[in-house]
């Protein structure tokens, strides 16, 4: 098996088990827990957890040290998808190859399951074992997670995405949306690894450059797949962006222009990675996967 496949088959179950245990243990209404588990277990790629694990590995640290933070990121990502699919947002009926959360549990429970996942994420980071992260590291992880996920990050990007519907945005405005709605949580996955490994500022800056480019690349590929993918491959409806008159890289730059921008960001990501002095083999492979992914 290729090293990335081996890595994925080993570390994906690690975060998936953590997610299942964290929700199953909650003393909460069964309907709420079922709704949370339904979306968590619908089969995402877990690219963010894998980025965190691969970053720890690049520093020579055990990926296991990132499992609570990885679960937290995946909870916030999953909540963002549940809310993104709501009728008041993108109004989509299919996610991860299954009916969307609100289609199964109703809108109110879907909203509340999202709220509960967001809140639980912070408890996950708060309860990391002190040998893995001391109080200062934990505090930094919590503060930066709040920034990446909230108004100055993902939520801010989602608002700009929504307000841009039907408007003709500039490339700079679209870049703001992509960096925030998608890039910030992906970037956090890398930077959280650097934080746990207590990297120096210079390495963090280089990884931050890397993360910026993969974040943008990831959403550009998502935009392209909304046009070129199949429902079976991506597990969500095709043409959702066109239907919602979204600004996307293909809508601004043409499909060909979007593909060129994607290639450019992938190459800049790898360039940034090569300056870190770390063992970045897995991170490079994940970068290629982001550029080429079909799901
Ligand atoms: C989809 O994210 C939403 C975006 C931010 C583009 P993913 O493509 O990572 O979705 P899953 O987790 O694999 O379902
Ligand atoms: C995703 O943007 C952003 C977040 C969920 C934060 P999209 O709306 O393009 O994601 P998909 O295509 O529905 O997964
Ligand atoms: Mg959206
Ligand atoms: Mg959407
Ligand atoms: Mg999309």
């Amino acid at each position: 098996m290729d090293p990335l496949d081996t890595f994925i088959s080993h570390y994906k179950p690690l975060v998936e088990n953590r997610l299942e245990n964290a929700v199953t243990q909650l003393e909460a209404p069964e309907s709420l827990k079922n709704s949370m588990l339904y979306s968590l277990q619908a089969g995402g790629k877990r690219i963010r957890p894998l980025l965190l694990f691969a970053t720890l590995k690049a520093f020579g640290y055990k990926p296991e040290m990132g499992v609570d933070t990885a679960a937290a990121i995946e909870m916030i990502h999953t909540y963002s998808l549940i809310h993104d699919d709501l009728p008041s947002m993108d109004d989509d009926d299919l996610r991860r190859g299954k009916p969307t959360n609100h289609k199964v549990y109703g809108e109110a429970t879907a909203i509340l399951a999202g709220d509960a996942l967001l809140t639980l994420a912070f408890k996950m980071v708060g309860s990391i074992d002190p040998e893995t992260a001391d109080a200062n590291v934990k505090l930094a992880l919590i503060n930066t997670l709040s920034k990446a996920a909230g108004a100055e990050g993902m939520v801010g990007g989602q608002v700009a995405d929504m307000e841009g519907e039907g408007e003709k945005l500039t490339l700079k405005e679209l870049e703001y949306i992509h960096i925030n709605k998608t890039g910030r949580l992906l970037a956090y996955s890398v930077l959280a690894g650097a934080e746990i490994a207590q990297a120096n500022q210079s390495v963090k800056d280089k990884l931050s450059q890397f993360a910026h480019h993969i974040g943008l690349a990831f959403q550009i590929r998502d935009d392209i797949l909304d046009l070129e993918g199949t429902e079976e491959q991506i597990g969500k409806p095709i043409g959702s962006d066109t239907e919602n008159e979204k600004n996307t890289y293909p809508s601004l730059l043409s499909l060909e222009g979007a593909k060129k921008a994607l290639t450019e960001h992938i190459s800049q990501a790898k360039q940034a990675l090569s300056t870190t002095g770390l063992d970045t083999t897995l991170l490079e492979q994940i970068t290629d996967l982001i550029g080429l992914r079909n799901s």
Side-chain angles (χ1 to χ4, degrees), residues 199-249:
N200 66 43
Q201 196 55 47
S202 148
V203 175
K204 278 187 187 167
D205 290 346
K206 287 166 183 159
L207 283 174
S208 190
Q209 274 304 308
F210 161 68
H212 166 84
H213 291 294
I214 55 167
L216 261 173
F218 193 88
Q219 184 60 43
I220 297 173
R221 185 73 191 142
D222 186 78
D223 291 351
I224 294 171
L225 288 171
D226 189 75
L227 292 169
E228 274 198 334
T230 66
E231 194 172 284
E232 205 173 39
Q233 281 174 331
I234 69 172
K236 47 191 189 186
I238 302 303
S240 170
D241 294 336
T242 316
E243 199 173 314
N244 288 320
E245 297 181 63
K246 294 279 191 193
N247 283 272
T248 62
Y249 268 65

Short mmCIF file of all heavy atoms in Angstrom, two decimals, residues 199-249:
data_model
loop_
_atom_site.label_atom_id
_atom_site.label_comp_id
_atom_site.label_asym_id
_atom_site.label_seq_id
_atom_site.Cartn_x
_atom_site.Cartn_y
_atom_site.Cartn_z
N ALA A 199 6.24 24.37 17.93
CA ALA A 199 7.15 24.83 16.88
C ALA A 199 7.54 26.29 17.11
O ALA A 199 6.78 27.04 17.73
CB ALA A 199 6.44 24.72 15.53
N ASN A 200 8.69 26.68 16.57
CA ASN A 200 9.06 28.09 16.69
C ASN A 200 8.29 28.94 15.66
O ASN A 200 7.70 28.41 14.73
CB ASN A 200 10.58 28.29 16.58
CG ASN A 200 11.09 27.93 15.20
OD1 ASN A 200 10.49 28.27 14.18
ND2 ASN A 200 12.22 27.24 15.15
N GLN A 201 8.31 30.26 15.86
CA GLN A 201 7.48 31.15 15.06
C GLN A 201 7.84 31.08 13.57
O GLN A 201 6.95 31.12 12.71
CB GLN A 201 7.60 32.59 15.58
CG GLN A 201 6.51 33.53 15.06
CD GLN A 201 5.09 33.01 15.32
OE1 GLN A 201 4.77 32.58 16.43
NE2 GLN A 201 4.23 33.02 14.30
N SER A 202 9.12 30.91 13.28
CA SER A 202 9.51 30.89 11.87
C SER A 202 8.91 29.67 11.15
O SER A 202 8.39 29.79 10.03
CB SER A 202 11.04 30.93 11.80
OG SER A 202 11.50 30.23 10.69
N VAL A 203 8.93 28.51 11.78
CA VAL A 203 8.32 27.32 11.16
C VAL A 203 6.80 27.50 11.07
O VAL A 203 6.17 27.14 10.07
CB VAL A 203 8.69 26.03 11.93
CG1 VAL A 203 7.97 24.83 11.36
CG2 VAL A 203 10.19 25.81 11.89
N LYS A 204 6.21 28.10 12.13
CA LYS A 204 4.75 28.33 12.11
C LYS A 204 4.38 29.24 10.93
O LYS A 204 3.38 29.01 10.25
CB LYS A 204 4.30 29.00 13.40
CG LYS A 204 4.10 28.04 14.56
CD LYS A 204 3.50 28.79 15.73
CE LYS A 204 3.44 27.93 16.97
NZ LYS A 204 3.15 28.72 18.17
N ASP A 205 5.20 30.26 10.67
CA ASP A 205 4.91 31.17 9.56
C ASP A 205 4.95 30.43 8.22
O ASP A 205 4.13 30.66 7.35
CB ASP A 205 5.92 32.34 9.53
CG ASP A 205 5.69 33.29 10.71
OD1 ASP A 205 4.62 33.21 11.35
OD2 ASP A 205 6.61 34.10 10.99
N LYS A 206 5.92 29.56 8.08
CA LYS A 206 6.04 28.81 6.82
C LYS A 206 4.86 27.86 6.65
O LYS A 206 4.29 27.72 5.57
CB LYS A 206 7.37 28.06 6.77
CG LYS A 206 8.53 29.02 6.56
CD LYS A 206 9.86 28.39 6.84
CE LYS A 206 10.96 29.46 6.66
NZ LYS A 206 12.19 29.11 7.37
N LEU A 207 4.48 27.20 7.74
CA LEU A 207 3.33 26.30 7.67
C LEU A 207 2.04 27.08 7.42
O LEU A 207 1.11 26.59 6.78
CB LEU A 207 3.20 25.49 8.96
CG LEU A 207 4.18 24.33 9.09
CD1 LEU A 207 4.08 23.69 10.47
CD2 LEU A 207 3.96 23.27 8.00
N SER A 208 2.02 28.30 7.91
CA SER A 208 0.85 29.13 7.70
C SER A 208 0.70 29.49 6.21
O SER A 208 -0.41 29.50 5.67
CB SER A 208 1.07 30.38 8.56
OG SER A 208 -0.03 31.13 8.63
N GLN A 209 1.81 29.74 5.56
CA GLN A 209 1.81 29.98 4.10
C GLN A 209 1.30 28.74 3.37
O GLN A 209 0.44 28.83 2.48
CB GLN A 209 3.25 30.25 3.62
CG GLN A 209 3.67 31.70 3.73
CD GLN A 209 2.70 32.60 2.97
OE1 GLN A 209 2.40 32.38 1.81
NE2 GLN A 209 2.17 33.60 3.67
N PHE A 210 1.84 27.61 3.76
CA PHE A 210 1.41 26.33 3.17
C PHE A 210 -0.10 26.16 3.34
O PHE A 210 -0.83 25.87 2.38
CB PHE A 210 2.17 25.19 3.87
CG PHE A 210 1.54 23.83 3.72
CD1 PHE A 210 1.52 23.19 2.49
CD2 PHE A 210 0.96 23.18 4.81
CE1 PHE A 210 0.92 21.93 2.34
CE2 PHE A 210 0.36 21.93 4.68
CZ PHE A 210 0.35 21.31 3.43
N ALA A 211 -0.57 26.41 4.57
CA ALA A 211 -1.98 26.20 4.89
C ALA A 211 -2.87 27.15 4.11
O ALA A 211 -3.97 26.78 3.66
CB ALA A 211 -2.19 26.38 6.39
N HIS A 212 -2.42 28.38 3.91
CA HIS A 212 -3.17 29.36 3.13
C HIS A 212 -3.45 28.80 1.72
O HIS A 212 -4.58 28.85 1.22
CB HIS A 212 -2.36 30.66 3.05
CG HIS A 212 -2.83 31.63 2.03
ND1 HIS A 212 -3.86 32.52 2.27
CD2 HIS A 212 -2.45 31.84 0.74
CE1 HIS A 212 -4.08 33.24 1.18
NE2 HIS A 212 -3.23 32.85 0.23
N HIS A 213 -2.41 28.27 1.11
CA HIS A 213 -2.56 27.79 -0.27
C HIS A 213 -3.41 26.52 -0.35
O HIS A 213 -4.22 26.39 -1.27
CB HIS A 213 -1.19 27.58 -0.92
CG HIS A 213 -0.48 28.88 -1.17
ND1 HIS A 213 -0.95 29.81 -2.07
CD2 HIS A 213 0.64 29.42 -0.61
CE1 HIS A 213 -0.14 30.87 -2.07
NE2 HIS A 213 0.82 30.66 -1.19
N ILE A 214 -3.26 25.59 0.58
CA ILE A 214 -4.10 24.39 0.48
C ILE A 214 -5.56 24.73 0.79
O ILE A 214 -6.47 24.13 0.23
CB ILE A 214 -3.64 23.17 1.32
CG1 ILE A 214 -3.48 23.52 2.79
CG2 ILE A 214 -2.41 22.51 0.75
CD1 ILE A 214 -3.34 22.29 3.67
N GLY A 215 -5.77 25.71 1.67
CA GLY A 215 -7.15 26.11 1.98
C GLY A 215 -7.87 26.64 0.76
O GLY A 215 -9.01 26.25 0.45
N LEU A 216 -7.19 27.53 0.04
CA LEU A 216 -7.78 28.08 -1.18
C LEU A 216 -7.96 26.97 -2.23
O LEU A 216 -9.02 26.86 -2.86
CB LEU A 216 -6.86 29.15 -1.75
CG LEU A 216 -7.22 30.59 -1.43
CD1 LEU A 216 -6.14 31.53 -1.91
CD2 LEU A 216 -8.56 30.96 -2.08
N ALA A 217 -6.92 26.17 -2.39
CA ALA A 217 -6.96 25.09 -3.38
C ALA A 217 -8.14 24.15 -3.11
O ALA A 217 -8.85 23.73 -4.03
CB ALA A 217 -5.65 24.30 -3.37
N PHE A 218 -8.37 23.86 -1.83
CA PHE A 218 -9.43 22.92 -1.47
C PHE A 218 -10.79 23.43 -1.94
O PHE A 218 -11.61 22.68 -2.49
CB PHE A 218 -9.45 22.68 0.04
CG PHE A 218 -10.28 21.50 0.44
CD1 PHE A 218 -9.73 20.24 0.48
CD2 PHE A 218 -11.63 21.64 0.74
CE1 PHE A 218 -10.50 19.13 0.83
CE2 PHE A 218 -12.41 20.54 1.09
CZ PHE A 218 -11.84 19.28 1.14
N GLN A 219 -11.05 24.73 -1.72
CA GLN A 219 -12.36 25.26 -2.10
C GLN A 219 -12.44 25.46 -3.62
O GLN A 219 -13.52 25.29 -4.20
CB GLN A 219 -12.67 26.56 -1.35
CG GLN A 219 -14.06 27.13 -1.63
CD GLN A 219 -15.21 26.18 -1.24
OE1 GLN A 219 -15.18 25.56 -0.17
NE2 GLN A 219 -16.22 26.07 -2.11
N ILE A 220 -11.33 25.77 -4.27
CA ILE A 220 -11.37 25.89 -5.74
C ILE A 220 -11.74 24.53 -6.34
O ILE A 220 -12.58 24.43 -7.23
CB ILE A 220 -10.02 26.40 -6.31
CG1 ILE A 220 -9.73 27.81 -5.79
CG2 ILE A 220 -10.04 26.39 -7.84
CD1 ILE A 220 -8.34 28.36 -6.14
N ARG A 221 -11.14 23.48 -5.79
CA ARG A 221 -11.48 22.12 -6.28
C ARG A 221 -12.95 21.81 -5.99
O ARG A 221 -13.64 21.21 -6.81
CB ARG A 221 -10.56 21.09 -5.59
CG ARG A 221 -10.72 19.67 -6.09
CD ARG A 221 -10.14 19.47 -7.49
NE ARG A 221 -10.54 18.18 -8.05
CZ ARG A 221 -10.86 17.97 -9.34
NH1 ARG A 221 -10.78 18.95 -10.22
NH2 ARG A 221 -11.21 16.78 -9.75
N ASP A 222 -13.44 22.25 -4.83
CA ASP A 222 -14.85 22.04 -4.49
C ASP A 222 -15.76 22.74 -5.52
O ASP A 222 -16.75 22.17 -5.97
CB ASP A 222 -15.11 22.59 -3.08
CG ASP A 222 -16.52 22.28 -2.58
OD1 ASP A 222 -16.75 21.14 -2.16
OD2 ASP A 222 -17.39 23.18 -2.64
N ASP A 223 -15.38 23.97 -5.89
CA ASP A 223 -16.16 24.71 -6.90
C ASP A 223 -16.15 23.97 -8.24
O ASP A 223 -17.17 23.90 -8.93
CB ASP A 223 -15.53 26.10 -7.16
CG ASP A 223 -15.66 27.06 -5.98
OD1 ASP A 223 -16.37 26.75 -5.01
OD2 ASP A 223 -15.04 28.15 -6.05
N ILE A 224 -14.98 23.44 -8.61
CA ILE A 224 -14.86 22.73 -9.89
C ILE A 224 -15.72 21.46 -9.86
O ILE A 224 -16.44 21.15 -10.82
CB ILE A 224 -13.37 22.39 -10.20
CG1 ILE A 224 -12.59 23.69 -10.43
CG2 ILE A 224 -13.25 21.45 -11.39
CD1 ILE A 224 -11.06 23.51 -10.52
N LEU A 225 -15.68 20.75 -8.73
CA LEU A 225 -16.46 19.51 -8.62
C LEU A 225 -17.97 19.77 -8.66
O LEU A 225 -18.73 18.91 -9.09
CB LEU A 225 -16.08 18.73 -7.35
CG LEU A 225 -14.70 18.06 -7.39
CD1 LEU A 225 -14.33 17.52 -6.01
CD2 LEU A 225 -14.67 16.93 -8.42
N ASP A 226 -18.38 20.95 -8.21
CA ASP A 226 -19.81 21.28 -8.27
C ASP A 226 -20.27 21.33 -9.73
O ASP A 226 -21.46 21.15 -10.02
CB ASP A 226 -20.06 22.64 -7.58
CG ASP A 226 -21.55 22.94 -7.42
OD1 ASP A 226 -22.18 22.34 -6.53
OD2 ASP A 226 -22.10 23.75 -8.21
N LEU A 227 -19.33 21.55 -10.65
CA LEU A 227 -19.67 21.60 -12.08
C LEU A 227 -19.34 20.29 -12.79
O LEU A 227 -20.07 19.83 -13.65
CB LEU A 227 -18.88 22.72 -12.77
CG LEU A 227 -19.23 24.15 -12.38
CD1 LEU A 227 -18.19 25.10 -12.94
CD2 LEU A 227 -20.62 24.52 -12.90
N GLU A 228 -18.18 19.71 -12.43
CA GLU A 228 -17.65 18.59 -13.22
C GLU A 228 -17.80 17.24 -12.57
O GLU A 228 -17.57 16.23 -13.21
CB GLU A 228 -16.14 18.80 -13.41
CG GLU A 228 -15.77 19.64 -14.58
CD GLU A 228 -14.30 19.44 -14.96
OE1 GLU A 228 -13.49 19.06 -14.09
OE2 GLU A 228 -13.98 19.65 -16.14
N GLY A 229 -18.12 17.22 -11.27
CA GLY A 229 -18.20 15.95 -10.56
C GLY A 229 -19.51 15.24 -10.86
O GLY A 229 -20.35 15.74 -11.61
N THR A 230 -19.67 14.06 -10.26
CA THR A 230 -20.97 13.41 -10.32
C THR A 230 -21.49 13.31 -8.89
O THR A 230 -20.70 13.30 -7.93
CB THR A 230 -20.87 11.98 -10.90
OG1 THR A 230 -20.10 11.19 -9.97
CG2 THR A 230 -20.19 11.96 -12.25
N GLU A 231 -22.82 13.23 -8.80
CA GLU A 231 -23.44 13.15 -7.48
C GLU A 231 -22.91 11.93 -6.71
O GLU A 231 -22.68 11.98 -5.50
CB GLU A 231 -24.96 13.04 -7.66
CG GLU A 231 -25.72 13.28 -6.40
CD GLU A 231 -27.22 13.36 -6.66
OE1 GLU A 231 -27.67 14.40 -7.17
OE2 GLU A 231 -27.92 12.38 -6.34
N GLU A 232 -22.69 10.86 -7.45
CA GLU A 232 -22.19 9.63 -6.84
C GLU A 232 -20.79 9.83 -6.25
O GLU A 232 -20.51 9.39 -5.13
CB GLU A 232 -22.15 8.54 -7.90
CG GLU A 232 -22.24 7.16 -7.31
CD GLU A 232 -22.38 6.11 -8.37
OE1 GLU A 232 -21.71 6.25 -9.42
OE2 GLU A 232 -23.16 5.17 -8.15
N GLN A 233 -19.94 10.54 -6.98
CA GLN A 233 -18.57 10.77 -6.50
C GLN A 233 -18.55 11.69 -5.27
O GLN A 233 -17.91 11.39 -4.28
CB GLN A 233 -17.74 11.48 -7.59
CG GLN A 233 -17.21 10.62 -8.69
CD GLN A 233 -16.54 11.48 -9.77
OE1 GLN A 233 -16.88 12.64 -9.99
NE2 GLN A 233 -15.59 10.88 -10.45
N ILE A 234 -19.23 12.83 -5.38
CA ILE A 234 -19.05 13.83 -4.32
C ILE A 234 -20.08 13.71 -3.20
O ILE A 234 -19.95 14.36 -2.17
CB ILE A 234 -18.98 15.29 -4.88
CG1 ILE A 234 -20.32 15.78 -5.45
CG2 ILE A 234 -17.89 15.42 -5.93
CD1 ILE A 234 -20.31 17.26 -5.82
N GLY A 235 -21.10 12.89 -3.41
CA GLY A 235 -22.08 12.66 -2.33
C GLY A 235 -22.94 13.86 -2.02
O GLY A 235 -23.55 13.95 -0.95
N LYS A 236 -22.96 14.84 -2.92
CA LYS A 236 -23.83 16.01 -2.75
C LYS A 236 -24.33 16.44 -4.11
O LYS A 236 -23.78 16.00 -5.14
CB LYS A 236 -23.10 17.13 -1.98
CG LYS A 236 -21.70 17.47 -2.44
CD LYS A 236 -20.97 18.39 -1.46
CE LYS A 236 -19.66 18.88 -2.07
NZ LYS A 236 -18.83 19.65 -1.14
N PRO A 237 -25.38 17.28 -4.17
CA PRO A 237 -25.96 17.58 -5.47
C PRO A 237 -25.00 18.37 -6.35
O PRO A 237 -24.26 19.21 -5.86
CB PRO A 237 -27.19 18.45 -5.13
CG PRO A 237 -27.38 18.33 -3.66
CD PRO A 237 -26.07 17.96 -3.07
N ILE A 238 -25.01 18.11 -7.62
CA ILE A 238 -24.21 18.86 -8.59
C ILE A 238 -24.98 20.14 -8.96
O ILE A 238 -26.21 20.13 -9.00
CB ILE A 238 -24.03 18.01 -9.89
CG1 ILE A 238 -23.36 16.67 -9.56
CG2 ILE A 238 -23.22 18.76 -10.95
CD1 ILE A 238 -22.05 16.79 -8.88
N GLY A 239 -24.26 21.21 -9.21
CA GLY A 239 -24.90 22.44 -9.70
C GLY A 239 -25.55 23.28 -8.62
O GLY A 239 -26.29 24.21 -8.92
N SER A 240 -25.26 22.97 -7.35
CA SER A 240 -25.84 23.74 -6.25
C SER A 240 -25.39 25.20 -6.33
O SER A 240 -26.16 26.13 -6.10
CB SER A 240 -25.41 23.12 -4.92
OG SER A 240 -25.74 23.94 -3.83
N ASP A 241 -24.12 25.43 -6.68
CA ASP A 241 -23.58 26.80 -6.75
C ASP A 241 -24.28 27.61 -7.84
O ASP A 241 -24.63 28.78 -7.63
CB ASP A 241 -22.07 26.78 -7.03
CG ASP A 241 -21.27 26.18 -5.88
OD1 ASP A 241 -21.78 26.20 -4.73
OD2 ASP A 241 -20.15 25.68 -6.12
N THR A 242 -24.47 26.99 -9.00
CA THR A 242 -25.12 27.68 -10.12
C THR A 242 -26.54 28.03 -9.73
O THR A 242 -27.01 29.16 -9.95
CB THR A 242 -25.12 26.76 -11.37
OG1 THR A 242 -23.83 26.15 -11.48
CG2 THR A 242 -25.44 27.54 -12.63
N GLU A 243 -27.22 27.06 -9.13
CA GLU A 243 -28.60 27.29 -8.73
C GLU A 243 -28.73 28.44 -7.74
O GLU A 243 -29.66 29.23 -7.80
CB GLU A 243 -29.15 26.00 -8.11
CG GLU A 243 -30.65 25.96 -8.09
CD GLU A 243 -31.16 24.60 -7.63
OE1 GLU A 243 -30.64 23.57 -8.14
OE2 GLU A 243 -32.04 24.58 -6.76
N ASN A 244 -27.76 28.54 -6.83
CA ASN A 244 -27.80 29.60 -5.81
C ASN A 244 -27.09 30.88 -6.27
O ASN A 244 -26.89 31.79 -5.45
CB ASN A 244 -27.16 29.11 -4.52
CG ASN A 244 -28.03 28.09 -3.80
OD1 ASN A 244 -29.24 28.22 -3.75
ND2 ASN A 244 -27.42 27.05 -3.26
N GLU A 245 -26.70 30.93 -7.54
CA GLU A 245 -25.98 32.10 -8.08
C GLU A 245 -24.79 32.50 -7.21
O GLU A 245 -24.60 33.66 -6.86
CB GLU A 245 -26.93 33.30 -8.26
CG GLU A 245 -28.04 33.03 -9.27
CD GLU A 245 -28.94 34.25 -9.42
OE1 GLU A 245 -28.43 35.29 -9.87
OE2 GLU A 245 -30.13 34.15 -9.08
N LYS A 246 -24.00 31.49 -6.84
CA LYS A 246 -22.83 31.72 -6.01
C LYS A 246 -21.69 32.26 -6.85
O LYS A 246 -21.56 31.92 -8.03
CB LYS A 246 -22.34 30.41 -5.40
CG LYS A 246 -23.29 29.77 -4.42
CD LYS A 246 -23.20 30.38 -3.05
CE LYS A 246 -23.97 29.52 -2.05
NZ LYS A 246 -24.18 30.21 -0.78
N ASN A 247 -20.82 33.03 -6.22
CA ASN A 247 -19.56 33.37 -6.83
C ASN A 247 -18.61 32.21 -6.58
O ASN A 247 -18.43 31.79 -5.44
CB ASN A 247 -18.99 34.64 -6.19
CG ASN A 247 -19.69 35.89 -6.71
OD1 ASN A 247 -19.30 36.46 -7.72
ND2 ASN A 247 -20.76 36.29 -6.04
N THR A 248 -18.00 31.71 -7.65
CA THR A 248 -17.05 30.61 -7.52
C THR A 248 -15.85 30.93 -8.42
O THR A 248 -15.93 31.84 -9.25
CB THR A 248 -17.67 29.28 -8.00
OG1 THR A 248 -17.99 29.41 -9.39
CG2 THR A 248 -18.92 28.91 -7.21
N TYR A 249 -14.79 30.17 -8.27
CA TYR A 249 -13.64 30.39 -9.17
C TYR A 249 -14.03 30.17 -10.62
O TYR A 249 -13.71 31.01 -11.46
CB TYR A 249 -12.43 29.54 -8.72
CG TYR A 249 -11.56 30.34 -7.77
CD1 TYR A 249 -12.04 30.73 -6.53
CD2 TYR A 249 -10.29 30.78 -8.14
CE1 TYR A 249 -11.28 31.51 -5.67
CE2 TYR A 249 -9.51 31.56 -7.29
CZ TYR A 249 -10.02 31.93 -6.05
OH TYR A 249 -9.26 32.71 -5.22
#
